[in-house]
Amino acid sequence: MNLSDVTMGQLTSRRDSLVPGILPHCRSSANEEGPPRYSSHHFDGSLQDVNLQIPSIAVTNMDSSGSDHQGSKMELQRSSLYSTLDQVPQLEHYTSTLPHQQARKRPSLEALRKAFKEAEAGMEVPDTTTDSGDSTVPITDSGNEDSKSPKKKAPVRLGWVVGVKIRCMLNIWGVILFLRLSWITSQAGILLTCLIVMMSVTVTTATALSISAIATNGRIISGGTYFLISRSLGPEIGAPIGMVFSFANALACALNTVGFAEVVRDLMKDDFGTVIVDSVNDVRIVGVITVTILLFISLAGMEWESKTQILFFIALMISFASYLVGTVIPHGTIKQAQGIFGYRGEIFVSNLKPDWRGPDGNFFRMFAIFFPATTGILSGVNICGDLKDPSTAIPKGTLLAIFWTTISYLVVPLTVGACVLRDASGNISDILTVNSTGVCVGLACNLGWNFTDCTQTQSCRYGLANSLQVLGQISAFYYLITLGVFAASLSSALGFLVSAPKIFQCLCRDNIYPYIGFFGKGYGKNDEPLRAYILCYVIAVAFIVIAELNTIAALISNFFLCVYGLINFSCFHASITNSPGWRPAFHYYSKWAALYGAVIAVLLMFLFTWWAALVTFSIIFFLFEYVNYTKPKVNWGSSVQASTYNMALSSSVSLSGVEDHIKNFRPQCLVLTGPPNQRPALVDFVASFTKHISLMICGDIIMEEERQTRPQDATDLLVKWMNKRKVRSFYTPLSADGLRAGARNLLQASGLGKLKPNTLVLGFKSNWRESSPESIEDYINTIYDTFDSNYNLCILRMMDGLDIIEHFEFEVNQSFEPDEVRNDNQQSSDVASVEDISDKGDSDQIKTVFQSDQGKKTIDVYWIADDGGLTLLVPYLLTRRKRWCRSKVRVFIVGDEQNMDESHKQMIALLKRFRLDFNDVIVMTDSEKRPHSKNLSRFVDSVAPFRLWDEQQEGVSAQELKQNAPWKISDKQFEAFRLKTERKVRLNEIIRRNSQNAALVLVSLPVPQSDCPSALYMAWLDTLTCGLHCPAVLIRGNQQNVLTFYCQ
């Protein structure tokens, strides 16, 4: 291998040579003559001016249409200028979140760093192309990323006109346009009717803008409205809406089918005199037959369904054109008798103002009747998985659909209000002639008709206020309006029948609710949810059989309004969180317009039908609580997560400006647990008094030899272990050469602002006698560093030790446990133990004493030294927990027999002022007595291996011995600290005598003197807590008050 230059990891080769082993099977070319040529279609990768060749990887982009022509499109995937292994940005590296996509993985940082060393050593650099070694790999076209195989027929994908615009217009144009809008115009007048239309349009337009923003903020797969809300606000909000909205679409299908069936029944009865059974059963029969036909159209696939919708659209356009033509053609006597006169200025003026009639005669009731006509704007979104380019189709198609339907909804009241009277009898004999006599009142008199009698008796059967068939009567051909009613109701029913299964399919596949995954299976090239189609059909038929859906209609309107509100809130919430991931390609939206749409939608829910609004919110709240309780394992990067980060960051920054006060002191603990699942007792002890109260950080000091075998996902697995154990703690791993260095770094760097630890919690080094001198020095020096850093300190000693090596066979921190020789078998078990955490379920959750109910046992506090009150605060916090609430706290203090009563009273008074409710105070009057000789002898024997015995060695000075073994205790030091030693042995005797049946013992930790040998201090700690049958805590505050009895 001939390497000419090496610069910052860049491999450069001579002009006619290429470094072997790097990216095999790649075609590279170099232009020997002239300057390099750059082309938008081909870049050969040669640079003439530098002695460098960069191979170009030719990648075939297979034609997704499945044609037999091979190599129809080629792309070149180049290496970057920095390294032959480092690649330029490619689309395929970012498709890992899409279904049916296998993302190309870019080389890791470690691979990039090692690439040159391996090439220089003659080793083959790992190939980052396909597993077969061929660098020509298929790349799926970005416009059709759901295709599974290039040889299969591509699924049908709809454009923005057929897929969104026409579909939305058909759903917005409902029977209200033909059967209710003229009546609303008679009640509210032309002006207020136009106001009602524009008010409805403001809500739908704000929602459409929000939909457009969310739909263009990333690739939409399927699931429609549920997908948008769930990926924006998370599964807790999205899943209930998906369930409710799927059901609402199924009910809406039944509602529109019943509406169609009622029109058919009336048509057969009035025009043809035909009755199948009776009026109710006729609706059921026609409705079931109709929805069955619609089901077969849906099962035939989106291609047939879209063609059917186009036919409905053509029918509606013909119907609307027939109406407009009917307004301008001359009208005969029969039409005039029905109040239809064509465009007349006086009729237009008379219909401008409202004329409220009946119990429904008010503005909000008219608004409530009209608003459901505008709820079809989600039709295109609901089939987003079947669109060619949802990000373009949804904004363009939805907004244009709203524009054209708004024009039509404004045209109808303006035209019908200018052509038709409010009241007409329909009798030809009411025409005014020269010989007519009697009183004539009203506008009709000026037009040659006398409708006074029916107007005064309120018996008129025709006119805007009395007939719902005005548009058919004014139309050029009556039955074309009936055709429009059929097309409007059937297109809406078909649209809802298609939308509900597709939304429900996406919900089922997310596995948020149990027992519904069966309906998530898709079939065919379009991944059609056939099972969900059948379920939707069954629901629709069930409600069609009821044949009375007035009550259900109110719920459906509320469901749709609730979805509108949440869509708008999703857009608003995503905007105010300022998440870098919120980058919608559609820029013509406003977060305040979205907020307006959300608030108005909720208000309308209560204004329209308050009881339906309460039912809707109750259902959603119930479904929300279920998801919140089960906590599905999904991570969609929702705006709720971004908001949580924003609030945490804002609160942390705000907290930095708050001055500390004793009343707000909290023991914020840095716990040196190592891997938390190795020392669950230590984790549970600290969690017992910090959960929901203060900060807890589990620090894991990782030695160099452990870091090499540590799994990459160990941190995530350990965090999952703590979450499963319901421990509210952070986990912070830190690489260091030793315990002291790692602990020092954690003491200095842990925390954020005021959320910084003030208490270090250690496990007791129970194996100190067998440990190396360096290990003991590390442990004791960590205690020194803790006090030097002005931290509080807690050391927990369990009677059986902290570690659970029998359950998890890992290598333990050498500063806590005996030195062991590590073999290969141990190494393999170490890795497996951490990796198996997530697979064991609850088997790795070892139960400790701190997870058990302590009953009426005592918590004994030996408050030997005044440390600021931490020794009392910790047991108080423990008693606030359910497991410790019945435990009695006993406080032991040092005193003498002469002043015992006075000391007792003073301590009781102090505890009452602290409001700690500790009433059991015991004065130890015999603490200064000499300990038993056997106990003292046991202590002397325990430190014997760590003594120099310099006075017994002749000819060798103590200084020379100390230089050879600085950790040992000289005879002079041992004698100097003899009195302190005896007091600690004596205190242990008192503790063992009084606290044999205690649940927990807390003892004031002696502060080590600078000249105290580490082995001697370690022996003191051991002596204070030995011989107990319960956990013992050596605790020491930093000599600053943490308790106060003042109010300020």
Side-chain angles (χ1 to χ4, degrees):
M1 178 174 61
N2 189 8
L3 295 176
S4 58
D5 286 308
V6 178
T7 306
M8 293 298 291
Q10 171 73 45
L11 299 184
T12 60
S13 65
R14 299 191 184 277
R15 177 166 304 182
D16 298 325
S17 64
L18 184 66
V19 178
I22 298 182
L23 292 175
H25 310 287
C26 299
R27 299 196 298 269
S28 61
S29 62
N31 188 4
E32 296 291 346
E33 297 181 0
R37 294 174 295 176
Y38 299 88
S39 170
S40 60
H41 301 286
H42 179 76
F43 187 16
D44 61 5
S46 60
L47 296 175
Q48 181 70 18
D49 295 336
V50 294
N51 191 18
L52 171 66
Q53 282 188 336
I54 302 176
S56 301
I57 308 171
V59 181
T60 304
N61 190 353
M62 297 296 184
D63 186 7
S64 60
S65 64
S67 67
D68 296 333
H69 180 68
Q70 299 294 328
S72 61
K73 186 177 179 182
M74 304 289 291
E75 289 182 358
L76 294 180
Q77 296 187 355
R78 292 174 42 83
S79 301
S80 71
L81 296 176
Y82 299 132
S83 169
T84 53
L85 191 62
D86 206 1
Q87 296 180 1
V88 296
Q90 300 174 19
L91 174 65
E92 293 76 27
H93 292 157
Y94 298 90
T95 59
S96 59
T97 59
L98 297 178
H100 314 308
Q101 287 291 303
Q102 185 173 2
R104 292 172 55 85
K105 294 183 179 180
R106 61 178 66 85
S108 64
L109 290 174
E110 183 180 6
L112 291 175
R113 293 180 62 193
K114 292 182 178 180
F116 169 70
K117 293 182 179 179
E118 293 178 352
E120 189 178 31
M123 299 172 60
E124 183 177 349
V125 179
D127 190 3
T128 59
T129 58
T130 60
D131 295 337
S132 62
D134 189 0
S135 61
T136 303
V137 295
I139 302 299
T140 305
D141 187 9
S142 61
N144 186 18
E145 298 184 43
D146 292 334
S147 59
K148 298 181 180 180
S149 173
K151 294 183 180 180
K152 293 182 180 180
K153 188 176 180 181
V156 176
R157 292 290 183 258
L158 306 178
W160 69 273
V161 176
V162 177
V164 181
K165 180 184 174 182
I166 291 179
R167 189 174 298 273
C168 288
M169 292 177 70
L170 286 171
N171 278 270
I172 294 174
W173 281 333
V175 294
I176 290 178
L177 174 67
F178 297 101
L179 302 181
R180 290 292 185 271
L181 191 55
S182 59
W183 176 73
I184 293 174
T185 304
S186 73
Q187 292 270 355
I190 296 175
L191 293 178
L192 289 183
T193 301
C194 292
L195 178 62
I196 288 173
V197 172
M198 295 309 298
M199 287 176 61
S200 302
V201 169
T202 57
V203 179
T204 56
T205 302
T207 306
L209 294 176
S210 299
I211 290 173
S212 301
I214 299 174
T216 58
N217 189 50
R219 174 77 165 144
I220 302 177
I221 308 304
S222 62
T225 308
Y226 159 69
F227 186 89
L228 297 182
I229 296 178
S230 62
R231 270 55 177 181
S232 296
L233 293 179
E236 292 83 1
I237 301 295
I241 288 299
M243 184 71 75
V244 168
F245 195 56
S246 301
F247 186 68
N249 275 267
L251 294 186
C253 174
L255 184 66
N256 282 274
T257 304
V258 169
F260 167 78
E262 289 178 347
V263 175
V264 172
R265 177 199 62 187
D266 295 340
L267 185 65
M268 291 191 303
K269 182 179 180 180
D270 297 339
D271 294 1
F272 301 101
T274 302
V275 177
I276 302 175
V277 180
D278 53 50
S279 59
V280 175
N281 286 307
D282 285 359
V283 172
R284 293 170 177 166
I285 294 171
V286 175
V288 171
I289 295 174
T290 302
V291 78
T292 303
I293 296 174
L294 295 179
L295 173 66
F296 285 126
I297 295 174
S298 302
L299 294 177
M302 289 302 299
E303 188 173 2
W304 283 91
E305 191 269 347
S306 61
K307 290 178 181 179
T308 305
Q309 294 285 26
I310 292 175
L311 291 178
F312 289 147
F313 181 75
I314 294 173
L316 272 169
M317 295 304 296
I318 294 174
S319 177
F320 198 70
S322 175
Y323 161 74
L324 292 178
V325 171
T327 60
V328 296
I329 62 175
H331 298 283
T333 305
I334 296 178
K335 293 289 183 73
Q336 290 182 3
Q338 295 172 352
I340 303 171
F341 292 91
Y343 291 105
R344 300 291 181 93
E346 57 268 39
I347 297 179
F348 181 80
V349 172
S350 66
N351 287 330
L352 282 176
K353 295 181 181 180
D355 182 16
W356 307 115
R357 301 182 184 182
D360 293 334
N362 60 78
F363 178 82
F364 284 106
R365 183 57 183 164
M366 293 300 108
F367 185 71
I369 293 173
F370 174 79
F371 185 81
T374 63
T375 58
I377 62 172
L378 300 178
S379 301
V381 179
N382 291 336
I383 63 162
C384 57
D386 297 296
L387 301 176
K388 291 180 180 178
D389 185 7
S391 298
T392 303
I394 291 174
K396 187 187 298 185
T398 304
L399 291 174
L400 282 177
I402 291 176
F403 174 77
W404 289 115
T405 52
T406 301
I407 296 297
S408 66
Y409 275 119
L410 290 175
V411 165
V412 170
L414 290 173
T415 54
V416 76
C419 297
V420 185
L421 295 174
R422 279 192 169 99
D423 296 293
S425 63
N427 295 326
I428 301 178
S429 60
D430 287 339
I431 190 172
L432 291 176
T433 61
V434 178
N435 299 325
S436 298
T437 59
V439 179
C440 183
V441 180
L443 180 60
C445 299
N446 299 331
L447 300 176
W449 291 82
N450 187 0
F451 300 137
T452 305
D453 291 340
C454 76
T455 301
Q456 292 178 348
T457 60
Q458 297 182 357
S459 60
C460 296
R461 295 187 300 116
Y462 294 93
L464 292 178
N466 306 292
S467 175
L468 300 179
Q469 308 293 334
V470 170
L471 265 65
Q473 295 164 1
I474 199 174
S475 173
F477 186 63
Y478 177 84
Y479 288 107
L480 287 180
I481 296 299
T482 304
L483 176 65
V485 174
F486 286 172
S489 56
L490 290 177
S491 64
S492 297
L494 181 59
F496 289 126
L497 183 61
V498 171
S499 298
K502 292 185 178 295
I503 296 171
F504 193 62
Q505 181 188 38
C506 185
L507 176 63
C508 294
R509 287 179 171 177
D510 286 337
N511 294 320
I512 296 177
Y513 292 112
Y515 312 120
I516 63 174
F518 173 81
F519 299 100
K521 184 176 177 57
Y523 296 86
K525 59 185 180 181
N526 271 56
D527 196 31
E528 295 290 350
L530 300 186
R531 297 175 179 177
Y533 275 131
I534 301 300
L535 177 64
C536 180
Y537 169 77
V538 171
I539 294 174
V541 168
F543 283 92
I544 288 172
V545 171
I546 297 175
E548 182 60 46
L549 299 180
N550 291 335
T551 303
I552 303 298
L555 279 175
I556 294 174
S557 298
N558 271 268
F559 288 162
F560 276 89
L561 280 170
C562 184
V563 172
Y564 283 7
L566 283 175
I567 289 175
N568 284 296
F569 181 75
S570 298
C571 181
F572 171 74
H573 195 264
S575 300
I576 63 173
T577 55
N578 296 321
S579 173
W582 175 249
R583 303 185 303 274
F586 182 82
H587 301 292
Y588 306 103
Y589 74 96
S590 169
K591 60 183 178 182
W592 303 117
L595 180 62
Y596 161 78
V599 173
I600 292 298
V602 175
L603 289 177
L604 291 179
M605 290 178 66
F606 286 94
L607 287 175
F608 290 171
T609 317
W610 64 267
W611 63 264
L614 293 178
V615 171
T616 302
F617 281 117
S618 298
I619 295 173
I620 291 177
F621 179 76
F622 173 77
L623 295 173
F624 166 82
E625 283 298 321
Y626 174 82
V627 179
N628 192 47
Y629 175 77
T630 57
K631 299 188 184 303
K633 296 180 180 180
V634 293
N635 184 11
W636 294 326
S638 66
S639 61
V640 175
Q641 295 173 330
S643 176
T644 302
Y645 174 85
N646 279 357
M647 289 189 293
L649 182 62
S650 177
S651 299
S652 299
V653 173
S654 300
L655 190 61
S656 298
V658 177
E659 295 184 5
D660 294 332
H661 195 280
I662 301 174
K663 291 195 299 183
N664 294 325
F665 174 85
R666 300 165 186 261
Q668 302 187 138
C669 298
L670 170 62
V671 193
L672 297 187
T673 59
N677 63 330
Q678 291 188 29
R679 298 184 175 89
L682 189 59
V683 173
D684 292 340
F685 165 66
V686 180
S688 297
F689 64 86
T690 60
K691 189 175 183 180
H692 301 299
I693 295 175
S694 60
L695 175 70
M696 175 180 174
I697 300 176
C698 290
D700 184 3
I701 302 171
I702 304 170
M703 306 303 179
E704 182 63 28
E705 62 273 11
E706 296 172 354
R707 191 171 67 88
Q708 301 298 327
T709 58
R710 179 182 173 87
Q712 293 183 354
D713 59 345
T715 298
D716 294 335
L717 294 176
L718 291 170
V719 171
K720 290 179 181 178
W721 181 88
M722 290 193 296
N723 291 336
K724 188 186 300 183
R725 204 173 182 85
K726 298 182 180 180
V727 174
R728 297 173 64 92
S729 172
F730 296 99
Y731 171 70
T732 304
L734 180 72
S735 299
D737 296 332
L739 171 68
R740 183 184 185 187
R744 185 186 298 167
N745 292 335
L746 286 173
L747 288 171
Q748 295 176 0
S750 295
L752 179 68
K754 289 297 178 67
L755 293 176
K756 183 178 178 63
N758 53 31
T759 304
L760 180 70
V761 183
L762 289 168
F764 181 74
K765 189 173 178 61
S766 57
N767 60 342
W768 65 277
R769 294 185 183 86
E770 296 81 22
S771 299
S772 64
E774 294 80 5
S775 176
I776 299 176
E777 286 287 329
D778 253 5
Y779 186 84
I780 299 302
N781 286 332
T782 299
I783 296 177
Y784 292 164
D785 294 337
T786 302
F787 290 129
D788 291 342
S789 302
N790 204 31
Y791 270 59
N792 306 309
L793 179 63
C794 290
I795 301 176
L796 174 64
R797 182 174 188 176
M798 302 293 293
M799 55 183 176
D800 296 325
L802 287 173
D803 299 294
I804 49 175
I805 308 302
E806 64 274 14
H807 299 284
F808 298 103
E809 297 180 356
F810 347 0
E811 176 71 10
V812 294
N813 191 309
Q814 298 299 319
S815 297
F816 286 102
E817 300 297 336
D819 296 330
E820 296 177 0
V821 179
R822 189 185 187 98
N823 54 45
D824 293 338
N825 293 333
Q826 285 177 317
Q827 292 183 6
S828 62
S829 66
D830 296 347
V831 177
S833 62
V834 180
E835 290 176 339
D836 290 343
I837 293 174
S838 61
D839 300 329
K840 292 182 178 180
D842 294 331
S843 62
D844 62 326
Q845 298 292 339
I846 306 301
K847 189 172 183 179
T848 65
V849 64
F850 298 103
Q851 292 181 316
S852 303
D853 191 339
Q854 301 302 316
K856 296 184 178 181
K857 293 182 180 180
T858 61
I859 300 176
D860 292 348
V861 180
Y862 291 85
W863 198 12
I864 308 303
D866 189 354
D867 58 354
L870 183 68
T871 308
L872 295 178
L873 181 60
V874 169
Y876 165 74
L877 295 177
L878 281 173
T879 57
R880 293 173 60 178
R881 297 297 177 191
K882 182 179 180 180
R883 295 186 179 97
W884 298 81
C885 62
R886 293 188 297 164
S887 297
K888 180 180 180 181
V889 178
R890 300 191 300 177
V891 180
F892 293 80
I893 59 173
V894 177
D896 52 49
E897 293 183 0
Q898 296 179 352
N899 302 318
M900 182 176 64
D901 293 338
E902 185 67 22
S903 299
H904 184 272
K905 292 180 181 179
Q906 290 180 357
M907 180 55 60
I908 289 292
L910 181 62
L911 295 176
K912 285 185 177 180
R913 290 197 174 189
F914 285 150
R915 306 173 305 283
L916 293 177
D917 197 23
F918 298 166
N919 298 317
D920 197 349
V921 176
I922 300 172
V923 181
M924 299 181 294
T925 59
D926 56 349
S927 59
E928 295 185 359
K929 292 182 179 180
R930 282 184 56 83
H932 293 289
S933 57
K934 64 175 183 178
N935 294 329
L936 191 57
S937 299
R938 188 182 298 115
F939 176 85
V940 173
D941 293 339
S942 67
V943 298
F946 299 94
R947 294 183 60 180
L948 281 177
W949 305 104
D950 49 294
E951 294 182 359
Q952 300 179 10
Q953 300 184 29
E954 299 179 358
V956 182
S957 65
Q959 293 182 349
E960 293 177 357
L961 293 173
K962 196 70 173 176
Q963 288 178 354
N964 296 330
W967 60 86
K968 289 195 173 183
I969 310 169
S970 66
D971 293 344
K972 183 177 181 181
Q973 289 175 324
F974 188 79
E975 289 299 324
F977 291 105
R978 176 176 289 275
L979 181 58
K980 295 181 181 294
T981 299
E982 291 179 355
R983 289 182 176 177
K984 291 173 179 58
V985 175
R986 177 56 184 166
L987 180 58
N988 174 254
E989 293 175 353
I990 298 174
I991 294 173
R992 285 190 294 168
R993 183 183 64 207
N994 293 287
S995 303
Q996 284 297 328
N997 298 319
L1000 180 67
V1001 174
L1002 295 94
V1003 186
S1004 294
L1005 177 74
V1007 178
Q1009 297 181 6
S1010 58
D1011 57 344
C1012 180
S1014 58
L1016 180 60
Y1017 184 71
M1018 194 71 232
W1020 287 351
L1021 302 185
D1022 187 20
T1023 299
L1024 281 172
T1025 55
C1026 70
L1028 297 177
H1029 300 289
C1030 65
V1033 179
L1034 293 165
I1035 184 170
R1036 186 72 186 216
N1038 61 357
Q1039 303 302 108
Q1040 296 179 4
N1041 289 346
V1042 299
L1043 295 174
T1044 180
F1045 44 79
Y1046 293 106
C1047 294
Q1048 62 181 13

